[in-house]
Amino acid sequence: MNILVRKYLYGDIPEDNSGGQPQSKNNGSNDWPLWEVFIRNKQGLDHKHVGSLHAADAQMAIENARDVYTRRMEGISIWVVESKYIHASNPDEADSMYDPANDKIYRHPTFYHLPDGLTHI
Amino acid sequence: MHEEKIFQDKLDREIKIEPQDWMPDAYRKTLIRQISQHAHSEIVGMLPEGNWITRAPSLKRKAALLAKVQDEAGHGLYLYAATETLGVTRESTIEDLNSGKAKYSSIFNYPTLTWADIGAIGWLVDGAAIMNQVMLCRTSYGPYARAMVRICKEESFHQRQGFEILLTLSRGTVAQKEMCQDAINRWWWPSLMMFGPKDDDSPHSKQSMDWKIKRKSNDELRQQFVDICAEQVKVLGMKIPDAELKWNEKKQHYDFGQIDWEEFWNVVKGNGPCNRDRLEARKKAHEDGDWVRKAAMAHAKKSKHKKQQTKVG
Ligand SMILES: [Fe+2]
Ligand SMILES: [Fe+2]
């Protein structure tokens, strides 16, 4: 028995030069663009990011999102936005960005000590 | 190195790695391969079951099978999307499958000969997949873990509908009982193979464990699966086709027989009963869909153009 493949990543699927490599191939104009999907699962709640999909236009993105992300009554409203329009904060700057908020404990109600008898506050 | 330390620190503290975070190249490559191969498995996995949609024995069974197969398409999509977060395009990932470069789970290279196979697939194949996927809900890469949580929620119906099919057959006529046992006989061993080679034969999976991509070893998962199935099969009144299957009081686990690794390697290398059919079917679907993708894109461009013109006018 000649065993060529050695490395197993997921269960019984071997790695032998298989699978893609990272690359930044420009989207051919025939590839459908990527969309981010946001779903409100109940009236009164915020839309929440649930995932992404490819579609030719917004209409198709909403229809596909319905089929993929709301097959079990997970939503009553869908937003889609083309992924290229999403801007994100830089994770490398997370320290300087969020740290200053950390020592402002007086922004929290528990910072203030009040007598036990006081109610409704 | 600073970045490497932050990465390791996140792993140690069970903080998920997100797409924008720095990660070692090898970690990224491992994930791209694993997640895309997992995605391919969901997609190719629709073929053996799709074979029975038009021949399901009742409307109820047909609706359930259709819904299950549709779920698998969704699983493929969640996973392709997770792959894309690592910097590969959807097109190139699919191209890797169609060119035969990328692999998918070998289990889908076995044929579905009778209706009972649909039951056996739900019970055993989805059952084994669930075991793997429940573990992967805790994987270290955020988008992969989130896809897994979503998938696991949908999977349990798959396994239950499969078991119910077998249960119905197991209470039927002599011929139906035989059909049920025959399907279990054919799917049992390939299902055990789904967990991959023995731990001693997969030295590289240690790296995946260190990176917390994988959280349990192949043998651990396989043992867990055997223990559960050995009990469940009693409800069916059927037998697992393994003369050595026996409860081991000392280990508190079932002992089980040797897996035919030669068969395993054969199917992996492309010589399973259906390898060629599966790939042909995927390629044909992709090629047949080509004009649809182009037409949709052309339509989208045209209507966008029209809209802009009416705005100007
Ligand atoms: Fe699935
Ligand atoms: Fe499934």
Side-chain angles (χ1 to χ4, degrees):
Chain A
M1 183 170 50
N2 184 15
I3 298 176
L4 294 164
V5 281
R6 286 256 160 63
K7 189 169 171 182
Y8 280 75
L9 302 168
Y10 172 69
D12 63 341
I13 312 169
E15 183 230 274
D16 50 346
N17 309 316
S18 59
Q21 296 280 330
Q23 81 225 117
S24 48
K25 187 188 116 190
N26 246 344
N27 254 23
S29 62
N30 276 323
D31 296 348
W32 294 349
L34 190 65
W35 300 76
E36 300 302 320
V37 180
F38 300 81
I39 287 180
R40 159 179 288 158
N41 56 16
K42 239 165 71 188
Q43 203 66 49
L45 296 182
D46 291 325
H47 286 74
K48 207 176 138 216
H49 184 245
V50 293
S52 40
L53 49 77
H54 286 268
D57 56 24
Q59 175 76 25
M60 187 196 271
I62 289 175
E63 283 164 11
N64 287 358
R66 197 256 336 253
D67 288 348
V68 180
Y69 292 107
T70 65
R71 285 198 305 283
R72 291 179 175 80
M73 316 273 295
E74 293 100 331
I76 52 152
S77 164
I78 298 172
W79 285 354
V80 294
V81 58
E82 238 188 287
S83 311
K84 65 179 181 194
Y85 296 121
I86 301 261
H87 299 267
S89 62
N90 184 348
D92 298 339
E93 291 163 10
D95 283 354
S96 55
M97 190 107 144
Y98 308 111
D99 226 33
N102 210 12
D103 52 2
K104 295 184 175 57
I105 44 170
Y106 47 83
R107 285 177 174 166
H108 298 277
T110 45
F111 178 74
Y112 303 91
H113 297 287
L114 300 172
D116 287 345
L118 190 68
T119 53
H120 301 296
I121 184 164
Chain B
M1 211 186 134
H2 184 56
E3 285 164 327
E4 192 118 36
K5 242 179 89 185
I6 297 174
F7 173 79
Q8 190 56 50
D9 180 56
K10 279 189 187 146
L11 290 185
D12 294 344
R13 292 192 293 144
E14 297 286 330
I15 293 174
K16 300 277 184 241
I17 308 299
E18 294 295 339
Q20 310 285 349
D21 295 343
W22 184 91
M23 61 187 88
D25 261 1
Y27 176 83
R28 182 186 300 274
K29 275 185 197 154
T30 301
L31 279 171
I32 289 173
R33 293 207 183 96
Q34 176 168 337
I35 304 173
S36 64
Q37 292 174 346
H38 194 166
H40 299 326
S41 304
E42 302 284 352
I43 298 299
V44 177
M46 291 192 279
L47 297 169
E49 289 181 294
N51 184 30
W52 280 92
I53 290 175
T54 54
R55 293 178 287 161
S58 69
L59 188 59
K60 173 190 147 191
R61 295 291 185 207
K62 185 175 185 164
L65 183 57
L66 204 53
K68 177 190 188 289
V69 172
Q70 194 189 8
D71 275 355
E72 306 299 3
H75 298 176
L77 180 118
Y78 306 152
L79 290 161
Y80 281 133
T83 313
E84 278 178 285
T85 64
L86 291 154
V88 276
T89 63
R90 177 79 58 94
E91 270 300 304
S92 73
T93 308
I94 290 172
E95 182 47 40
D96 283 344
L97 172 67
N98 292 351
S99 70
K101 192 175 157 200
K103 293 278 193 292
Y104 53 85
S105 190
S106 283
I107 192 80
F108 303 118
N109 290 318
Y110 290 86
T112 40
L113 304 177
T114 71
W115 169 249
D117 288 16
I118 300 306
I121 287 180
W123 177 40
L124 298 172
V125 178
D126 285 82
I130 289 169
M131 212 128 263
N132 235 318
Q133 291 172 161
V134 165
M135 160 192 85
L136 287 168
C137 288
R138 295 189 296 121
T139 194
S140 57
Y141 186 57
Y144 195 21
R146 290 192 285 275
M148 281 301 124
V149 170
R150 188 174 285 280
I151 286 174
C152 284
K153 270 189 209 151
E154 299 182 358
E155 283 289 356
S156 71
F157 126 69
H158 298 180
Q159 203 189 10
R160 291 174 70 100
Q161 67 93 35
F163 197 87
E164 199 198 66
I165 289 172
L166 294 183
L167 192 64
T168 307
L169 290 170
S170 76
R171 291 170 178 170
T173 63
V174 175
Q176 285 170 330
K177 282 180 187 160
E178 275 170 10
M179 197 164 97
C180 180
Q181 183 63 59
D182 168 64
I184 296 171
N185 291 350
R186 280 181 293 107
W187 289 94
W188 174 251
W189 291 103
S191 297
L192 290 195
M193 294 176 197
M194 280 177 76
F195 297 98
K198 283 202 259 193
D199 291 348
D200 304 338
D201 297 331
S202 48
H204 291 274
S205 64
K206 189 185 172 297
Q207 176 67 77
S208 278
M209 298 274 264
D210 288 349
W211 277 332
K212 297 191 178 173
I213 294 175
K214 244 175 121 143
R215 312 299 305 245
K216 281 178 181 176
S217 78
N218 296 354
D219 286 337
E220 257 179 283
L221 287 168
R222 188 163 20 234
Q223 183 68 59
Q224 208 182 333
F225 180 71
V226 170
D227 289 346
I228 289 173
C229 292
E231 292 300 319
Q232 290 175 340
V233 77
K234 293 178 188 167
V235 179
L236 295 173
M238 295 284 142
K239 286 239 151 20
I240 280 174
D242 180 355
E244 289 171 55
L245 186 79
K246 213 176 132 225
W247 177 249
N248 185 324
E249 189 60 41
K250 217 167 80 201
K251 283 198 239 162
Q252 289 292 300
H253 284 297
Y254 275 90
D255 288 331
F256 56 99
Q258 266 294 324
I259 289 169
D260 181 356
W261 293 111
E262 195 153 350
E263 173 184 331
F264 172 78
W265 293 111
N266 242 320
V267 183
V268 165
K269 279 186 270 173
N271 305 321
C274 302
N275 293 56
R276 190 172 313 183
D277 282 5
R278 300 296 184 232
L279 209 55
E280 284 304 312
R282 282 315 310 152
K283 278 203 301 228
K284 185 174 182 308
H286 193 68
E287 283 157 18
D288 289 352
D290 189 50
W291 72 269
V292 179
R293 290 190 296 276
K294 284 185 180 143
M297 206 57 221
H299 174 76
K301 276 181 190 160
K302 219 171 163 180
S303 43
K304 199 174 172 187
H305 188 69
K306 240 188 213 157
K307 237 190 231 160
Q308 277 165 352
Q309 287 219 313
T310 38
K311 253 187 219 157
V312 174

